[in-house]
Amino acid sequence: MPTVNINVNGQDLSAEVEERQLLVHFLRDDMDLTGTHVGCDTSQCGACVVHLEGKAVKSCTMLAVQANGKNITTIEGVADGDNLHPVQEAFRDHHGLQCGFCTPGMIMAAIDIINRKPNLDEKIVREELEGNLCRCTGYQNIVKSILAAANK
Amino acid sequence: MYNFIYEKVNTIQEVEKLLSENEETKILAGGQTLIPTMKQRLASPSTLIDISGIDELNFINDNGNSVTIGSTVTHNEVSSSDIIMKKIPSLASLAEGIGDPHVRNMGTIGGSIANNDPTADYPTACLSLNAKIKTNNREINAEDFFIGLFETALEENEIVVSVEFNIPKKSSYMKFPNPASRYAMAGVYLSVFDDAVNVAVTGASENGVFKWTEMEEALSINLSLENAKNIKLSSDGVMSDIHADSAYRANLVDIMALRAVENLI
């Protein structure tokens, strides 16, 4: 099996992976980073979103071997110790979650949106959330949380 | 997903060698179509050649009258490129309308055109902007490249290196996206050059992307809504599925063409 060297949340890791192993399964099953979720497993729901070299990608639609030599950030890596990331803080303050299943992907997507788009408004946020589904349909507060975090 | 041998390469020569030595190979660029297809076991290559690390495939060049985009450039890189936004803004907005932001961070232009999905966006840009598709062996005009459903002129040992788009006087791409997948249920790319008006259509024909010559002729006489309204796409040979039957889809193409014209006058 190929060996991959991946930096996950600031930590250099070396591991053997099967060629066909998806990045999301490497993170969850091998690295015990179960914050990244598998929702639809068909590239639609965005529950598995992580950052690859700082950009949001769907970890269910990527092989672990493709991440060799790259930096990955998962939901576990965004807080600074006990201090939540501003986007996490905003989701808590504005009740941006109901069941919470989509939340890790929503937060990773939100950080990416805020990084890329300097002047966010509600319309842009809703368009940018194209790749993230909330089956509780809790979008009102998710959008509110992202706008609040962007204005911090 | 069935297992495979994974080969990460750094040069086009390495790809050529692997392609000549192995059967049942697939090229992996962004993988946003290939990996879901492999997960469903609809594709089961024995060797996967990852070309994402080949530096010479990752560039956007401004050549004056044309722009060239390397095959591993992602949709996000195209949509946020200063060169593309300035020279062919409709191409930047086409790229921004593919899939969702996460898919656009991985999916590539080369992958999109080599796959030639009948509902993909990029093939219309290639046909409408008289693109030249450069492979490791030759240069192919877009009109000769797209052959049919998921079929291109690419040979077994050939990969897309870059795509060169001519810069039009003005152009517009209008699509009606499937609300779930964002693939085009109808997409019309209209480009105006000094000597021609080009109209390419995706999402509609059972044979994939095509040039709508009747509309081109009408708009060459005069780029007007009146002329566009006189032309209707026949629903013969138009795809029919749970999302839209052929008459509905053909009508969507008519409407997208009107919107594209409206955008340019």
Side-chain angles (χ1 to χ4, degrees), chain A residues 20 41 56 58 60 130 132, chain B residues 1 39 100 102 105 182:
Chain A
R20 63 178 164 177
D41 205 20
K58 288 178 170 168
C60 83
E130 171 59 35
N132 295 80
Chain B
M1 189 185 323
K39 283 166 73 173
D100 61 52
H102 323 311
N105 276 332
R182 300 281 145 175

Side-chain angles (χ1 to χ4, degrees), chain B residues 141-186:
Chain B
N141 288 327
E143 292 200 36
D144 302 321
F145 183 85
F146 300 105
I147 290 180
L149 224 51
F150 296 102
E151 198 185 344
T152 68
L154 286 173
E155 307 274 355
E156 293 282 310
N157 59 350
E158 213 170 14
I159 67 161
V160 176
V161 169
S162 63
V163 189
E164 182 184 354
F165 296 98
N166 287 329
I167 297 170
K169 273 164 63 184
K170 50 187 177 177
S171 59
S172 175
Y173 178 63
M174 286 290 148
K175 85 162 162 175
F176 189 94
N178 178 306
S181 70
R182 300 281 145 175
Y183 271 102
M185 283 168 64

Side-chain angles (χ1 to χ4, degrees), chain B residues 75 91 94-95 98 108-133 141-152 163-165 173 175 183-184 187-191 198-204 207-212:
Chain B
H75 310 321
L91 187 60
L94 174 149
I98 298 172
T108 66
I109 185 169
S112 171
I113 66 167
N115 191 45
N116 193 18
D117 188 299
T119 62
D121 301 291
Y122 270 124
T124 57
C126 295
L127 280 185
S128 189
L129 298 168
N130 301 322
K132 289 189 193 72
I133 291 135
N141 288 327
E143 292 200 36
D144 302 321
F145 183 85
F146 300 105
I147 290 180
L149 224 51
F150 296 102
E151 198 185 344
T152 68
V163 189
E164 182 184 354
F165 296 98
Y173 178 63
K175 85 162 162 175
Y183 271 102
V188 174
Y189 205 123
L190 167 64
S191 307
N198 294 337
V199 181
V201 179
T202 188
N207 294 318
V209 68
F210 68 97
K211 281 188 90 188
W212 191 5

Side-chain angles (χ1 to χ4, degrees), chain A residues 18-69:
Chain A
E18 204 179 6
E19 289 85 345
R20 63 178 164 177
Q21 186 172 35
L22 296 170
L23 179 61
V24 68
H25 293 138
F26 171 74
L27 294 169
R28 286 180 57 84
D29 303 343
D30 295 3
M31 296 298 129
D32 281 337
L33 294 169
T34 53
T36 303
H37 290 168
V38 180
C40 66
D41 205 20
T42 53
S43 322
Q44 297 177 59
C45 78
C48 66
V49 170
V50 300
H51 292 181
L52 169 74
E53 301 290 321
K55 289 178 181 168
V57 298
K58 288 178 170 168
S59 62
C60 83
T61 312
M62 184 176 167
L63 305 167
V65 284
Q66 284 177 282
N68 188 21

